[in-house]
Amino acid sequence: MERLKSSQGEYENPAFDAILGDPPVYEETNLSNGENRTVRPSVVSAFGHDTLDRVPNINFYRNAGSVSGHRAVRPSLQELHDVFQKVSNGAISVPDTVQDSGEGSDGTPSDDVESADPIVSDKGAVKFGWIRGVLVRCMLNIWGVMLFIRLSWVFGQAGWGLGIVVIALSCVVTTITGLSMSAICTNGVVRGGGAYYLISRSLGPEFGGSIGLIFAFANAVAVAMYVVGFAETVVELLVEHDLLMVDPLNDIRIVGVITVVFLLGISVAGMEWEAKAQIVLLVILLVAIVNVFVGTFIPATAEKKSEGFFNYQSNIFLENFGPQFRNGENFFTVFSIFFPAATGILAGANISGDLRDAQAAIPKGTLLAILITGITYLAVALSVSACVVRDATGSTLNNITGAFDCSNSSAVAACELGYDFSSCAQKSCKFGSMNNFQVMTMVSGFGPLIIAGTFSATLSSALASLVSAPKVFQALCKDNIYKALHFFAKGYGKNNEPIPGYILTFIISVGFILIGNLNIIAPIISNFFLASYALINFSCFHASYAKSPGWRPAYKYYNMWLSLVGAVLCCAVMFVINWWAALLTYGIEILLYIYVTVKKPDVNWGSSTQAVTFVSAVGNALSLTGIDDHVKNFRPQILALTGSARSRPALLDLAHSISKNYGLCITCDVFVGPRSEALEEMNAGMEKNQQWLRKTKRKAFYAAVACNKFREGTESLLQASGLGRMKPNILMMGFKKNWRASGTEDLMTYVGVLHDAFDFEYGTVVLRMDQGLDLSHLVEAEEEMMKAAKEQQSLETDMNGKKSKGMFRKSRNSSQQVLTTRVSVCGPPPPQVAKMNERLMEASAQFKKKQPKGTIDVWWLFDDGGLTLLLPYILTTRKKWKDSKLRIFIAGEPGRSEVDKQEMKSLLEKFRITYTEIIVIDDLHVRPSSNSMKKLEDMIEPFRLHEGSKDTPQAEAMRKEHTWKITDEELSTFEEKTNLQIRLNELLQEHSKSANLVIVSMPIARKGSVSDHLYMAWLEVLTQDLPPTLLIRGNHKSVLTFYS
């Protein structure tokens, strides 16, 4: 590892990896702002000349803190593109590099298992290949007690014809699942967690978190099931030899607990010991299986013949072909009893973190294990079907010595072989494949080997489950989906063994062993495993269906529709095994899914759910483009000029209340200034603003542009925002409260934006609040304080001698004195300013909280298509505004107020708009009071030209010199319109002073006729000294209709 010398001492460069060749030499550079940085200079590359570009290398694509190697950092686009300069030694130096904090590159989830810092070194850790790690484990788990105890019964009931179907159908389900699992695990690096890891990284934390918990629990309870099976066999031997300790039930508990303690000791000792134990158990199991085949060739004794075993006989084989279901059994019940034997295919995947190459080992080992075990089950079952009859008395006295007519016998094959077992048709017999669960022991060459095989099958399955449950649970806890369980994420030793998980699994298994009777829990556990299989298959289908470019599995022998069939088959088998257990499994999974969804874990694994959401969004957006807009489907889609998302919360909250989840809301920011500076600031704020919107649950998008002028930026936003039919149709902005103190250019820009909105046929909404809207100065102060606090913490860390994180670290020349100065600048403001800020903060939160009982007063003075009426109506449908009632104010002619009121009432009823009152204003034509007129005159006085008292040439010269000023001619031309705004404010003061919100039709200024200052004076005088006021002007296209 290369070490660099800087002004702050020595530190490691984690970007360096020897695989990349010679280490990059970092240069100290003094930047224009006085800071000292280490930057990457050029290197002599494979191209033979100095260049910052690097050739492709795997280390550039690793996550930060990757457990499989150091991540290297390629030169940033800015480093390659920005103007460079030569340093003193002639090497190329970049003015400003992009810092890498080591916490993940853009788009790379830093909290994935791949990117988590390894707790312990992997040095000396035991890693398994595909044979010991996957093949052996899967075979041992699939070869269960079914092979020696119930397989003969299954083929006795179903016959070997349907018996083959039972095994084949089971193998089809497991093979499809194996193919799906192979595709998923070859689509990227596979870490620890097995089925949970595969499902969560494919379908997301909601599915993964729900199935991971029940899968880990199922494995823990499976330990108890297998151990109880082992204990029952041991207790049968104790009963046979009269060696019971207490009674059969308590002896099962005692033997079971002792066995689990023994298995726990092997597991805690480490994966190497566990693997050795599995090899020993495999050898015993293989010997027991071979022993069965050997026994079928050893000539049957008279005792064995009386029990139904006759070696290979064609007539027995033919007689056993068809089904002979008894005691209410049918194909599905027999299948449900056999299928759990096939549910061990995830044994290898569950220890994926301990495999040397999980991507290669899991597909190869799992599919080969399914093939070998399937053939073994078939071979053993067919051999027994060809040697053993269904019913036998077990008595040698049933031997036929003389001539006997076998045509009427219920057991023709046995009769032809010299035994009369026809009595079994009248009363149940104890022997034969239908009655004796110990047929394999009888058939085998050496009976005790079958008992040893049974022990091996149960113990190996128990051991595999005892290892699987903690490993899967540890991976689940590492991802911190269930925060209360994070304690179990800690590992110990060179293999990062989940000791707390082992102890928890031990406690669960002992608890279920002490219950003693697992007949009720067994179908639930089988369904838990099947639910995992179903989701693995669905994961493969879902990822393929999404057609994400990131779905590139190395394993090609899969089919998305086959995976879907596999998922459906798994769900069907769940109901075949036990319908109530299937419903319970679905219920638990849905509850856990809802819990994880509500908690929203802070992870991003690039799941196929995200990919499908994106594909659906694109598809829906495209389908909308083929449909013409209809007035009934009009939705307010708002482009809100808020600046940064936090700068004008009142404006954003009101826009969000209108659009909510049902319309588009884009909060926009225009960065003005030199392009290089504006772009840097804009790029830095994009993700931060969107995250803030998401965190505060504002359903809105953030968009930003960088331009030399504000108006150019808003023009770009007005023209280019949106996608297809999902385009903004309303511009929403705040009122420019300080317009009188602003420069002429600023005012022209503000009014110009309104003109542009009208030109582009946007509906326009302007919000005015007396306290103001802009909190940007407070936000900046808060960020400055946070920055100062971080710097203080960093300085303290440096002084304590701790190393800084990051591959490129700024040289900090800031001293305690500098930091103190910064904090003092951000210190408390004067009391008067503090009070204003407090009122501003309170007003800014006004639309975030529930509105009190009151009214929304709508002054619908001009027909603009109905937007002035629709927006307040939409507000009343929101929960926060439900106590606010609409009052409609309209302009009416003197003497016909009642007629105007009835006409408006009829129109509102047709529009189905609920209101409390209609008020007709019939004195709008009355001249405003002299006091109000005086206020306007004083307001516009600084902006008047007063050319009327000058002669014509001088007046003309004044107009040319001060084109922006209000002329006497203009005032005279628009006197009535000016007086209307003053009069309206007087009426608003009279009627709407106590309203929660006032809506007023916005006056329009004709381009080239009304000066910007006069127009702003209209808006100012119209809305001053009022509650929060919205000026609204639609684009004069209907947004309301009374047609169905």
Side-chain angles (χ1 to χ4, degrees):
M1 184 68 73
E2 184 196 20
R3 292 186 179 273
L4 304 176
K5 292 285 186 178
S6 73
S7 59
Q8 297 298 318
E10 190 179 75
Y11 72 100
E12 290 186 353
N13 168 26
F16 170 66
D17 195 322
I19 300 173
L20 287 177
D22 293 334
V25 180
Y26 286 69
E27 301 289 349
E28 294 287 349
T29 288
N30 293 312
L31 303 182
S32 56
N33 60 2
E35 291 182 336
N36 187 263
R37 286 283 296 278
T38 52
V39 298
R40 287 174 293 201
S42 63
V43 295
V44 178
S45 70
F47 304 106
H49 65 277
D50 280 1
T51 176
L52 284 174
D53 269 325
R54 301 305 296 263
V55 294
N57 189 282
I58 188 174
N59 295 312
F60 290 140
Y61 296 89
R62 296 192 190 280
N63 287 353
S66 169
V67 298
S68 54
H70 293 298
R71 182 180 68 162
V73 181
R74 68 178 66 83
S76 69
L77 188 61
Q78 284 73 29
E79 287 178 317
L80 296 174
H81 185 244
D82 284 354
V83 177
F84 65 85
Q85 59 189 15
K86 297 277 185 175
V87 292
S88 56
N89 61 0
I92 296 174
S93 174
V94 182
D96 195 10
T97 56
V98 176
Q99 279 195 342
D100 188 340
S101 63
E103 295 179 1
S105 56
D106 292 342
T108 305
S110 60
D111 50 0
D112 196 357
V113 175
E114 160 68 10
S115 61
D117 292 331
I119 299 171
V120 292
S121 172
D122 279 346
K123 190 175 180 181
V126 179
K127 296 290 182 182
F128 302 108
W130 70 275
I131 296 177
R132 287 180 69 191
V134 182
L135 180 65
V136 169
R137 291 173 189 280
C138 287
M139 288 195 303
L140 284 171
N141 231 23
I142 296 171
W143 282 331
V145 291
M146 175 66 65
L147 185 63
F148 300 112
I149 295 178
R150 299 299 291 272
L151 187 61
S152 57
W153 177 88
V154 168
F155 270 61
Q157 290 275 357
W160 61 265
L162 284 179
I164 291 174
V165 175
V166 168
I167 293 178
L169 186 57
S170 301
C171 287
V172 165
V173 174
T174 54
T175 301
I176 293 174
T177 306
L179 294 173
S180 299
M181 182 169 62
S182 300
I184 296 170
C185 71
T186 58
N187 191 53
V189 176
V190 177
R191 298 298 176 195
Y196 158 72
Y197 185 90
L198 298 178
I199 293 169
S200 63
R201 268 45 176 191
S202 184
L203 289 178
E206 295 83 6
F207 283 102
S210 57
I211 201 66
L213 200 59
I214 65 174
F215 185 70
F217 177 77
N219 274 286
V221 178
V223 174
M225 287 177 55
Y226 295 130
V227 168
V228 166
F230 168 78
E232 285 176 347
T233 309
V234 172
V235 169
E236 283 178 12
L237 291 174
L238 293 177
V239 170
E240 189 178 328
H241 294 87
D242 197 24
L243 294 173
L244 278 178
M245 293 175 279
V246 186
D247 57 67
L249 179 60
N250 283 311
D251 279 18
I252 288 172
R253 290 169 176 164
I254 293 167
V255 173
V257 171
I258 293 171
T259 305
V260 172
V261 172
F262 173 71
L263 294 176
L264 180 66
I266 295 175
S267 301
V268 173
M271 290 297 294
E272 195 169 3
W273 283 96
E274 187 266 350
K276 289 176 181 176
Q278 293 280 25
I279 294 294
V280 172
L281 293 172
L282 176 65
V283 171
I284 296 171
L285 197 53
L286 288 173
V287 170
I289 292 170
V290 171
N291 183 43
V292 173
F293 289 111
V294 170
T296 58
F297 290 98
I298 297 174
T301 61
E303 184 182 355
K304 285 190 175 183
K305 286 182 179 179
S306 68
E307 293 178 359
F309 173 62
F310 296 93
N311 295 110
Y312 289 102
Q313 303 292 337
S314 59
N315 52 352
I316 293 177
F317 191 58
L318 290 173
E319 186 178 75
N320 286 337
F321 172 75
Q324 200 174 106
F325 296 113
R326 301 178 189 173
N327 303 324
E329 303 290 352
N330 55 51
F331 174 81
F332 293 107
T333 59
V334 170
F335 175 78
S336 68
I337 289 170
F338 174 81
F339 186 80
T343 58
I345 63 170
L346 293 180
N350 288 339
I351 63 159
S352 53
D354 296 295
L355 299 177
R356 195 176 299 120
D357 183 3
Q359 286 180 284
I362 292 175
K364 195 187 302 182
T366 304
L367 293 172
L368 190 58
I370 293 171
L371 178 64
I372 292 172
T373 53
I375 291 172
T376 306
Y377 272 118
L378 273 176
V380 170
L382 291 174
S383 296
V384 172
S385 296
C387 299
V388 182
V389 296
R390 282 190 168 102
D391 297 291
T393 59
S395 172
T396 54
L397 300 176
N398 292 118
N399 185 21
I400 300 172
T401 53
F404 192 83
D405 183 11
C406 295
S407 59
N408 295 322
S409 174
S410 58
V412 177
C415 180
E416 290 174 351
L417 294 170
Y419 279 83
D420 179 19
F421 296 146
S422 57
S423 61
C424 293
Q426 282 76 41
K427 62 177 183 177
S428 61
C429 295
K430 293 183 179 180
F431 297 95
S433 61
M434 292 283 276
N435 311 301
N436 183 15
F437 289 159
Q438 302 299 326
V439 165
M440 294 297 180
T441 306
M442 176 191 68
V443 170
S444 66
F446 183 60
L449 272 178
I450 299 301
I451 296 173
T454 305
F455 287 171
S456 173
T458 52
L459 290 177
S460 63
S461 297
L463 192 56
S465 295
L466 186 58
V467 170
S468 297
K471 294 280 185 183
V472 172
F473 193 57
Q474 183 186 36
L476 175 67
C477 296
K478 271 184 180 178
D479 289 336
N480 209 20
I481 292 175
Y482 302 100
K483 295 187 184 300
L485 303 177
H486 192 61
F487 166 76
F488 294 96
K490 188 171 176 58
Y492 299 85
K494 61 184 180 181
N495 262 53
N496 197 29
E497 297 291 349
I499 302 299
Y502 280 128
I503 295 170
L504 181 62
T505 304
F506 171 76
I507 292 169
I508 292 172
S509 57
V510 167
F512 279 97
I513 286 169
L514 294 178
I515 293 173
N517 185 3
L518 295 177
N519 290 336
I520 295 176
I521 202 74
I524 300 175
I525 301 308
S526 296
N527 274 301
F528 280 2
F529 285 124
L530 275 166
S532 304
Y533 294 179
L535 278 179
I536 288 173
N537 282 306
F538 185 72
S539 297
C540 183
F541 163 76
H542 205 253
S544 304
Y545 177 77
K547 292 182 171 58
S548 171
W551 174 249
R552 302 184 302 275
Y555 187 84
K556 301 298 182 185
Y557 303 103
Y558 74 96
N559 180 274
M560 60 181 285
W561 300 111
L562 191 62
S563 295
L564 182 60
V565 169
V568 173
L569 274 176
C570 289
C571 294
V573 171
M574 288 173 70
F575 282 97
V576 167
I577 290 177
N578 191 298
W579 66 268
W580 62 262
L583 291 176
L584 182 64
T585 303
Y586 287 132
I588 294 172
E589 193 171 332
I590 289 168
L591 286 175
L592 290 172
Y593 180 92
I594 293 170
Y595 173 83
V596 177
T597 304
V598 169
K599 289 294 181 181
K600 288 186 175 62
D602 187 21
V603 294
N604 180 11
W605 295 321
S607 66
S608 60
T609 307
Q610 294 171 344
V612 168
T613 302
F614 180 84
V615 170
S616 300
V618 172
N620 291 334
L622 286 171
S623 65
L624 281 174
T625 59
I627 304 170
D628 291 334
D629 289 331
H630 194 282
V631 63
K632 285 198 297 184
N633 292 324
F634 174 84
R635 290 177 186 273
Q637 306 200 90
I638 299 172
L639 187 76
L641 293 180
T642 60
S644 110
R646 297 177 62 189
S647 293
R648 292 169 177 81
L651 188 66
L652 176 59
D653 288 335
L654 194 59
H656 181 244
S657 294
I658 294 169
S659 62
K660 206 66 177 176
N661 302 331
Y662 315 109
L664 184 67
C665 181
I666 305 176
T667 172
C668 299
D669 201 353
V670 178
F671 290 87
V672 180
R675 184 172 177 181
S676 56
E677 295 176 14
L679 278 174
E680 186 178 350
E681 188 181 354
M682 183 182 75
N683 292 335
M686 289 291 286
E687 187 62 27
K688 184 173 68 174
N689 280 285
Q690 193 61 56
Q691 282 181 353
W692 184 85
L693 288 169
R694 191 163 54 246
K695 186 178 178 181
T696 55
K697 297 181 180 177
R698 265 90 164 188
K699 308 294 183 184
F701 299 96
Y702 175 78
V705 292
C707 285
N708 291 323
K709 294 183 179 179
F710 183 83
R711 186 173 178 183
E712 291 176 2
T714 56
E715 277 185 2
S716 301
L717 290 167
L718 287 168
Q719 293 179 82
S721 294
L723 186 68
R725 297 287 182 194
M726 295 177 64
K727 267 181 79 72
N729 48 32
I730 295 173
L731 173 68
M732 191 167 182
M733 57 195 296
F735 180 74
K736 191 172 180 64
K737 190 179 177 185
N738 64 340
W739 65 273
R740 281 178 281 181
S742 298
T744 306
E745 190 174 345
D746 281 352
L747 191 63
M748 288 175 64
T749 298
Y750 181 83
V751 177
V753 170
L754 295 175
H755 285 306
D756 292 338
F758 294 138
D759 286 342
F760 296 129
E761 295 190 340
Y762 272 68
T764 307
V765 178
V766 176
L767 172 64
R768 176 170 184 179
M769 299 177 70
D770 276 347
Q771 296 84 355
L773 298 169
D774 191 2
L775 295 181
S776 55
H777 60 290
L778 298 178
V779 173
E780 287 171 10
E782 181 187 341
E783 289 176 350
E784 190 70 19
M785 288 295 291
M786 290 178 66
K787 190 175 179 182
K790 282 183 180 178
E791 188 161 340
Q792 172 72 49
Q793 186 179 3
S794 180
L795 282 171
E796 289 174 357
T797 303
D798 283 352
M799 285 188 287
N800 290 334
K802 294 183 180 179
K803 290 182 182 178
S804 302
K805 285 181 70 176
M807 301 178 187
F808 304 104
R809 188 185 63 176
K810 288 186 178 181
S811 299
R812 293 189 179 88
N813 296 322
S814 302
S815 63
Q816 188 70 32
Q817 183 181 357
V818 173
L819 183 59
T820 305
T821 304
R822 177 183 285 179
V823 173
S824 66
V825 169
C826 302
Q832 187 179 358
V833 176
K835 194 170 183 180
M836 286 175 60
N837 288 341
E838 188 179 341
R839 286 202 300 267
L840 177 59
M841 289 289 290
E842 187 179 342
S844 294
Q846 180 170 341
F847 299 131
K848 193 177 180 181
K849 56 192 178 185
K850 192 174 186 301
Q851 300 301 302
K853 285 187 177 180
T855 62
I856 298 177
D857 287 358
V858 182
W859 292 69
W860 193 17
L861 306 176
F862 313 112
D863 194 326
D864 58 352
L867 188 68
T868 306
L869 182 62
L870 179 63
L871 294 188
Y873 166 74
I874 290 173
L875 279 177
T876 60
T877 64
R878 307 302 187 218
K879 191 175 180 181
K880 291 176 184 175
W881 292 86
K882 67 176 184 178
D883 292 331
S884 298
K885 308 303 179 184
L886 289 185
R887 289 201 304 169
I888 312 298
F889 293 81
I890 59 170
E893 296 180 21
R896 63 186 309 269
S897 297
E898 198 58 38
V899 176
D900 291 336
K901 186 174 183 178
Q902 287 303 318
E903 287 178 355
M904 179 54 66
K905 182 179 178 181
S906 173
L907 181 61
L908 292 176
E909 286 175 355
K910 287 184 176 180
F911 284 152
R912 303 169 304 284
I913 300 289
T914 305
Y915 62 93
T916 57
E917 190 178 3
I918 298 174
I919 300 169
V920 180
I921 305 297
D922 58 2
D923 56 351
L924 272 173
H925 62 283
V926 176
R927 186 174 178 81
S929 67
S930 57
N931 189 35
S932 299
M933 294 286 289
K934 181 70 167 60
K935 283 183 181 178
L936 176 71
E937 290 170 4
D938 292 342
M939 185 187 302
I940 64 174
E941 180 60 33
F943 315 110
R944 289 189 61 181
L945 190 59
H946 290 295
E947 85 288 2
S949 59
K950 311 295 181 185
D951 55 35
T952 305
Q954 191 176 358
E956 197 63 35
M958 290 174 69
R959 286 194 192 96
K960 287 183 180 179
E961 185 180 355
H962 303 287
T963 55
W964 51 273
K965 285 200 171 185
I966 305 170
T967 65
D968 293 341
E969 182 185 354
E970 181 185 356
L971 272 180
S972 175
T973 303
F974 296 102
E975 181 181 2
E976 289 183 359
K977 197 164 186 178
T978 303
N979 290 343
L980 175 62
Q981 313 312 319
I982 302 171
R983 177 60 182 154
L984 267 174
N985 182 259
E986 290 178 347
L987 293 167
L988 283 162
Q989 298 283 349
E990 179 184 342
H991 294 282
S992 300
K993 191 70 174 174
S994 59
N996 288 341
L997 183 67
V998 179
I999 312 286
V1000 187
S1001 293
M1002 181 192 293
I1004 293 181
R1006 191 174 295 278
K1007 286 191 296 183
S1009 299
V1010 180
S1011 64
D1012 297 336
H1013 285 86
L1014 180 59
Y1015 184 52
M1016 287 304 297
W1018 288 355
L1019 301 185
E1020 170 80 29
V1021 76
L1022 174 61
T1023 58
Q1024 65 185 358
D1025 301 325
L1026 289 174
T1029 304
L1030 273 183
L1031 295 169
I1032 300 179
R1033 173 67 72 154
N1035 63 0
H1036 288 245
K1037 293 180 180 177
S1038 294
V1039 298
L1040 293 170
T1041 182
F1042 45 79
Y1043 294 108
S1044 59

